[in-house]
Amino acid sequence: MTGTDETTAAPEDDRGTVRDDAVAALIMDRCDELASISSDPDRLERVHLSPEHAATNALVAHWMGEAGLSTWQDAAGNQCGRREGTTPGLPALLLGSHIDTVPDAGRYDGMLGVLLAIAVADRLRDEPLPFALEVVAFSEEEGTRFGNALLGSRALAGTWDPAWWDLHDKDGITLHDAFQDFGLDPARLPGAFRRPEQLIGYLEAHIEQAPWLEDAGRPLGIVSSIAGARRFALTMLGHAGHAGGTPYDRRRDALVGASELVVAIERISKETDTIGTVGRLRAFPGGVNVIPGRVEFSLDLRAEHDDTRDDCWQRIHDSAAEICARRGLQFEVTEIYRADAVRCGERLRRAIGAGIRSTGDADPMTLWSRAGHDGLAVSAVTDFAMLFIRCAGGVSHHPDESVTEPDVAVALDAFSAAVLDLARR
Ligand code: GLV
Ligand code: MN
Ligand code: MN
């Protein structure tokens, strides 16, 4: 890759595979460089359509150009790069991930996948391919700024809902106005849509964000599917009153009711093989000597199968009804996000498997993704598959997120080999 010492012989790892440690080191450096582009000097936060997003697109475009790709920013703020196959204009294999972050983020969630994709394009730059190769750095996957996730990949997939233009951030700026402030024209958004015949598939490399690969002592895994998720804004309504003067049998304490439900959510989720998380909870009016009359809280539900997740939600809802009846409370629900589970495409998944096998792991581990990814959205327009990379302790959405350079080196080998496997089929 440009900027590295090409004269150093690549070492062999303990499986006898030739690793490109110089490129892995460069990818790690670039992850550090991207992590410094943050709206907060003390922690990493980079949200959709921010000045940091623009700076990241510019830097990523520069690296794409060095890797031999022609670059453009699409109508949704996704940073794209392309090289042609053996004939100009062939359908494209997309490689990529996202460049936005959660608040107080780690430096690998999303970014590592983008940088690996650029490194693959660079490594294969002289390889004749029977498809075009494109790298996409999706503008928005996390939902941090506008609440709704996957905005970049949903634009690319053509599944954009015009109602989203009215979504607003914590300062009241609408998505529509944020597009304009970024220099994008909302009316031109359909220019980002891709048609199925323009694509042959989407491959994404991503840190696992769970501990199963590490527990199994393996650097890489094949993803079988991405969990479906539903997110709700929940409100428990009771009656505020004096903390001293209101007898227990006359209280309608919304926070005690909500707390009972939070515990029930954990129990029901475990019983139904679902992952349920209450990540945010606020009590009102919030006085130390006032019984809480209203509690607003969030619920995130994920499962491998949608019917499992929906059964869990039904049982949580029944439990809320029972708690409210017993405590004289009311319960309100707004569903704020829903993405159904998607399976990885067989042909692409086999290519990921072949890629991992080429690195010396004869029987790669397969696992389903508990985390959401851009493939959820891209699957509306083309098949996708994913390569998972071990991360320490499975820790993610936290500054302690970490990967090792040797794992990045072996991921680069596997990801490149997966692309070549597809090219030879
Ligand atoms: C995205 O990272 C999610 O799974 O919430
Ligand atoms: Mn994430
Ligand atoms: Mn991610």
Side-chain angles (χ1 to χ4, degrees):
M1 179 178 267
T2 317
T4 62
D5 179 4
E6 305 281 351
T7 59
T8 312
E12 292 197 354
D13 67 13
D14 51 11
R15 293 175 305 276
T17 311
V18 177
R19 294 197 320 251
D20 198 338
D21 286 347
V23 177
L26 182 64
I27 291 171
M28 298 294 275
D29 287 348
R30 287 179 171 181
C31 286
D32 294 345
E33 196 169 344
L34 289 181
S36 70
I37 307 176
S38 171
S39 57
D40 184 330
D42 299 324
R43 54 187 208 147
L44 173 54
E45 177 166 332
R46 187 169 55 242
V47 298
H48 193 207
L49 305 174
S50 59
E52 297 74 36
H53 173 186
T56 300
N57 274 8
L59 187 53
V60 166
H62 172 72
W63 291 333
M64 286 175 169
E66 282 186 346
L69 304 176
S70 55
T71 64
W72 72 101
Q73 179 179 274
D74 78 7
N78 298 312
Q79 180 59 50
C80 307
R82 176 178 171 111
R83 56 151 282 194
E84 298 299 336
T86 41
T87 323
L90 289 172
L93 175 66
L94 302 180
L95 310 179
S97 190
H98 59 98
I99 46 99
D100 66 318
T101 75
V102 294
D104 204 9
R107 60 190 56 200
Y108 303 105
D109 174 2
M111 284 75 81
L112 179 60
V114 172
L115 297 173
L116 275 167
I118 293 171
V120 168
D122 188 55
R123 184 183 278 193
L124 304 183
R125 68 160 76 205
D126 297 322
E127 191 76 37
L129 296 173
F131 41 73
L133 194 65
E134 288 192 24
V135 177
V136 191
F138 285 113
S139 57
E140 205 289 332
E141 187 268 352
E142 302 283 11
T144 306
R145 180 168 180 190
F146 295 100
N148 205 345
L150 302 167
L151 292 174
S153 42
R154 282 170 153 169
L156 179 138
T159 53
W160 189 268
D161 181 346
W164 297 339
W165 291 122
D166 296 327
L167 292 170
H168 52 82
D169 69 7
K170 62 179 174 12
D171 298 320
I173 300 170
T174 63
L175 181 57
H176 183 275
D177 289 353
F179 254 65
Q180 290 185 325
D181 295 346
F182 194 75
L184 294 168
D185 179 355
R188 293 182 183 271
L189 183 81
F193 298 177
R194 305 292 183 96
R195 294 191 309 276
E197 63 273 19
Q198 297 174 311
L199 303 171
I200 70 153
Y202 170 62
L203 296 181
E204 175 166 348
H206 201 286
I207 56 167
E208 184 197 1
Q209 306 181 284
W212 316 120
L213 285 173
E214 187 178 69
D215 286 359
R218 293 161 182 260
L220 304 176
I222 310 169
V223 177
S224 53
S225 66
I226 304 178
R230 292 176 76 176
R231 293 184 188 152
F232 302 90
L234 307 178
T235 306
M236 199 71 101
L237 291 163
H239 201 277
H242 198 288
T246 317
Y248 275 117
D249 61 354
R250 295 184 207 181
R251 288 186 185 221
R252 290 163 55 206
D253 185 328
L255 182 54
V256 182
S259 305
E260 254 199 76
L261 186 60
V262 171
V263 175
I265 285 168
E266 187 189 50
R267 176 179 50 76
I268 296 166
S269 300
K270 283 181 178 169
E271 287 169 4
T272 55
D273 260 340
T274 301
I275 309 164
T277 305
V278 176
R280 195 164 53 209
L281 186 147
R282 288 179 71 198
F284 298 91
V288 286
N289 55 353
V290 185
I291 296 164
R294 188 171 93 251
V295 172
E296 295 175 358
F297 52 124
S298 62
L299 173 62
D300 175 300
L301 285 181
R302 305 161 188 236
E304 185 175 11
H305 304 292
D306 297 334
D307 51 356
T308 316
R309 176 202 63 192
D310 294 344
D311 172 51
C312 176
W313 167 240
Q314 187 55 50
R315 287 183 54 187
I316 289 171
H317 200 273
D318 292 348
S319 174
E322 185 278 318
I323 293 166
C324 287
R326 184 160 38 79
R327 293 185 168 273
L329 305 171
Q330 285 170 316
F331 186 54
E332 291 175 358
V333 176
T334 309
E335 183 160 7
I336 52 173
Y337 173 79
R338 179 181 183 136
D340 287 344
V342 287
R343 289 198 67 71
C344 294
E346 276 310 317
R347 185 175 55 107
L348 297 179
R349 197 175 132 169
R350 276 200 300 275
I352 296 285
I356 298 177
R357 273 190 291 276
S358 78
T359 66
D361 179 353
D363 184 21
M365 182 168 170
T366 298
L367 58 176
W368 59 278
S369 175
R370 279 79 172 161
H373 298 288
D374 290 298
L376 279 171
V378 177
S379 65
V381 73
T382 193
D383 267 358
F384 81 100
M386 292 185 72
L387 171 73
F388 263 176
I389 302 153
R390 160 170 70 187
C391 57
V395 172
S396 181
H397 285 187
H398 189 278
D400 287 349
E401 220 169 60
S402 87
V403 294
T404 68
E405 201 174 294
D407 283 3
V408 170
V410 78
L412 175 57
D413 288 346
F415 208 32
S416 308
V419 173
L420 290 176
D421 183 81
L422 275 176
R424 287 172 193 141
R425 264 171 216 276

